[in-house]
Amino acid sequence: MAQISENKVVTITYDLSVTDENQEKVLVESAEADAPMVFLFGQSGLPEEFERQLDGKQAGDSFTFSLTPEQAYGEYDDQAVVDIPKNVFEVDGQIDQEMLQVGNFLPMADNQGHHMQGKVVEIGPDSVKMDFNHPLAGMVMHFDGKVAEVREATQEEMDHGHVHGEGGHDH
């Protein structure tokens, strides 16, 4: 039976909880059997410690572990909350009011062309306050799940750095 290691395609189901301000665990995400998480081990872009916790497991194995902010998406950074001039969101002189809603995540790029997601926090008359922290920044993450499948990655998947087919990219 295949073990999770570099360049294996891994399919897992899990519940993700975070510790809230009252030190209680709150469920924030589930990957169930009908929509599992599928990723290429070693090239997933997931936190290194997340992959380290799964390394060596095989189909049928259960897992329970927690990641501190340092092991995951870092501490919340107040400097990642910025005001952006409202005209940046104009397309042909118009602002898409449906898109520009508090709570929406918008794809953005910085001055160097790096792509990132920003959450609309507040809309003012002349500017939009955006939060570029990862949604799970500053949180302790608790995973409880099971390895559903482990298989060899195809050469094409390794070349592309992601999974193809079911649970992956179609292209």
Side-chain angles (χ1 to χ4, degrees), residues 104-135:
N104 279 0
F105 285 88
L106 304 178
M108 305 283 290
D110 65 13
N111 295 344
Q112 287 82 40
H114 298 117
H115 293 276
M116 61 191 112
Q117 290 284 317
K119 181 179 179 183
V120 178
V121 178
E122 187 181 300
I123 302 169
D126 301 315
S127 66
V128 176
K129 188 177 296 281
M130 299 283 294
D131 184 348
F132 291 99
N133 282 289
H134 187 282

Side-chain angles (χ1 to χ4, degrees), residues 2-13:
Q3 289 188 320
I4 295 176
S5 62
E6 196 82 14
N7 294 324
K8 294 282 196 296
V9 173
V10 179
T11 303
I12 60 173
T13 57

